Amino acid sequence: MEVRVQNIRKEFGRFPALNDVSLDIRSGELIALLGPSGSGKTTLLRLIAGLESPTEGTVFFGDEDASRKTVQQRNIGFVFQHYALFRHMTVLDNVSFGLTIRPADRRPSNAEIRRRAGELLDLVQLSGLEKRYPAQLSGGQRQRVALARAMAVEPNVLLLDEPFGALDAQVRKELRRWLREIHDRTGHTTVFVTHDQDEALELADRVVVMSKGKIEQIGTPDEIYDTPNSPFVFGFIGQSNMLPVRIENGQLLMGDQPVGVSAPGEADGAAHLYFRPHDIELLDGEGSISGTVVVTRRVAGTRHVELDIGATGTKVEIELPPEKFTSDRARIAFRPTRWKLFRT
């Protein structure tokens, strides 16, 4: 099912939670809505679900205007962060619930409901736990039950609101991989909300980066990470450094010193230079950025080094091979190998 959000505005009182947001979601696509708290991502998800109504604009399911339809009429599967399972029901009854409450003319037989619920429990790797209650399950198992329940109604669109937010880091990582596998097998059009960039980049076909009620950028994980289109996206996705620079005759300067980066064709003037800690090469001598080591720390397979650049009062972080030992107060010179300029 294709979903199209067209010129959506949503106000709570006089507060604009979303401002002229448009988004096309392809059938069978896995989309991540990514952004900090207050960016509007959960409001957008709730508007797609029918849990909120737009102040202005339209939500289409296929070619049909669904803006005033209820959640039930839209046939939505919704997975919440805190599971929202029925504590007094068994795992099997939780998964079956959406089918058992359908109107009589659309309700499958009891045998068919049990069969479908059993298949879904097998799909989410919970076979054998049918008679358990939510309190007898781990957090990861509860979230699998919640997903199976959402899929049982054969939804037009599957929506997940911070689905792994209540789980510890290792379980989150395992469930991310598992959710991607489930999506590839079932082909549901899926939209999930997260503030975790790793989650979005690992799971999604496309990532929608949001800030202050607007969409900053839409693209594949590679596009979002490698070619961010704004200072916000560059700063929000992955680790990054920012240095104030001046462009003169196609050269970048900090103060009066060249930084080893040229930008032919760029107009003279002030700008901000963005680069990632691993996109650097070490240099000796002139024509580079140099700083004094403030602290070093080992992070998995790299060594993270924080440098005080000096007169500007700016600190940056670079990544070096773990065997590259640097003592405090040592001097390091480098230049970015991949970078982007944004005008101030």
Side-chain angles (χ1 to χ4, degrees):
M1 172 68 73
E2 295 179 355
V3 178
R4 183 157 47 94
V5 175
Q6 185 173 299
N7 304 117
I8 285 288
R9 180 175 178 84
K10 178 62 179 177
E11 295 181 352
F12 294 102
R14 294 188 176 181
F15 173 73
L18 292 173
N19 188 12
D20 196 25
V21 168
S22 294
L23 172 65
D24 290 343
I25 301 169
R26 303 161 191 150
S27 182
E29 190 172 29
L30 180 57
I31 284 275
L33 304 180
L34 174 66
S37 297
S39 61
K41 56 189 186 296
T42 294
T43 299
L44 179 55
L45 191 79
R46 290 174 64 85
L47 282 161
I48 295 171
L51 295 169
E52 301 284 353
S53 297
T55 305
E56 296 176 8
T58 313
V59 178
F60 290 94
F61 276 35
D63 295 326
E64 189 174 4
D65 183 352
S67 304
R68 303 302 168 187
K69 289 191 173 185
T70 66
V71 178
Q72 291 76 18
Q73 290 170 329
R74 298 183 196 200
N75 193 30
I76 290 294
F78 208 115
V79 180
F80 298 90
Q81 177 177 342
H82 295 288
Y83 325 124
L85 299 177
F86 299 112
R87 291 177 291 177
H88 65 288
M89 290 185 181
T90 64
V91 166
L92 184 66
D93 289 341
N94 264 284
V95 175
S96 304
F97 180 75
L99 296 173
T100 61
I101 64 171
R102 277 184 172 175
D105 61 338
R106 296 178 51 236
R107 187 188 312 143
S109 67
N110 289 338
E112 175 63 17
I113 290 174
R114 285 194 299 272
R115 185 194 67 78
R116 192 180 300 180
E119 286 181 351
L120 284 167
L121 287 173
D122 185 54
L123 181 66
V124 301
Q125 301 170 358
L126 290 178
S127 294
L129 303 183
E130 292 88 349
K131 295 182 179 180
R132 290 195 186 182
Y133 290 87
Q136 298 172 302
L137 304 177
S138 69
Q141 289 172 330
R142 292 179 201 173
Q143 197 58 290
R144 290 176 189 233
V145 174
L147 182 61
R149 183 179 64 182
M151 291 191 298
V153 298
E154 298 178 333
N156 289 327
V157 183
L158 184 62
L159 305 176
L160 303 96
D161 189 6
E162 298 275 7
F164 310 134
L167 304 173
D168 64 55
Q170 185 59 38
V171 175
R172 288 176 70 125
K173 188 173 182 178
E174 292 171 0
L175 286 189
R176 286 205 298 261
R177 183 167 55 248
W178 168 79
L179 178 60
R180 182 71 234 194
E181 292 173 358
I182 292 288
H183 175 268
D184 290 343
R185 290 173 64 178
T186 61
H188 287 300
T189 302
T190 304
V191 185
F192 75 98
V193 161
T194 183
H195 64 271
D196 184 325
Q197 55 187 272
D198 291 338
E199 198 163 276
L201 296 175
E202 181 178 338
L203 267 175
D205 297 316
R206 287 191 300 156
V207 179
V208 180
V209 184
M210 299 187 67
S211 174
K212 298 179 180 179
K214 294 185 177 183
I215 293 176
E216 289 275 342
Q217 186 172 355
I218 304 171
T220 66
D222 284 345
E223 289 167 345
I224 294 292
Y225 188 86
D226 293 333
T227 56
N229 66 359
S230 71
F232 172 82
V233 177
F234 209 124
F236 187 72
I237 303 295
Q239 290 183 288
S240 64
N241 296 299
M242 185 276 289
L243 291 174
V245 295
R246 191 175 73 258
I247 305 169
E248 282 190 9
N249 300 320
Q251 297 297 314
L252 304 191
L253 307 174
M254 287 182 61
D256 295 325
Q257 299 298 315
V259 301
V261 173
S262 60
E266 286 282 347
D268 290 356
H272 286 148
L273 173 67
Y274 281 77
F275 62 94
R276 302 200 184 279
H278 54 271
D279 289 332
I280 62 105
E281 65 175 352
L282 300 181
L283 297 173
D284 292 316
E286 299 291 328
S288 61
I289 302 168
S290 64
T292 302
V293 175
V294 177
V295 64
T296 68
R297 59 187 184 278
R298 176 69 180 265
V299 181
T302 63
R303 187 173 301 281
H304 289 217
V305 181
E306 185 178 319
L307 300 176
D308 184 345
I309 299 303
T312 64
T314 302
K315 290 184 173 62
V316 300
E317 186 169 288
I318 61 173
E319 291 182 16
L320 301 177
E323 66 274 10
K324 181 72 175 180
F325 179 76
T326 56
S327 58
D328 289 354
R329 311 312 299 173
R331 295 287 293 178
I332 291 181
F334 70 93
R335 74 173 184 89
T337 54
R338 296 184 65 179
W339 46 270
K340 189 156 186 175
L341 284 174
F342 293 104
R343 291 290 179 169
T344 57

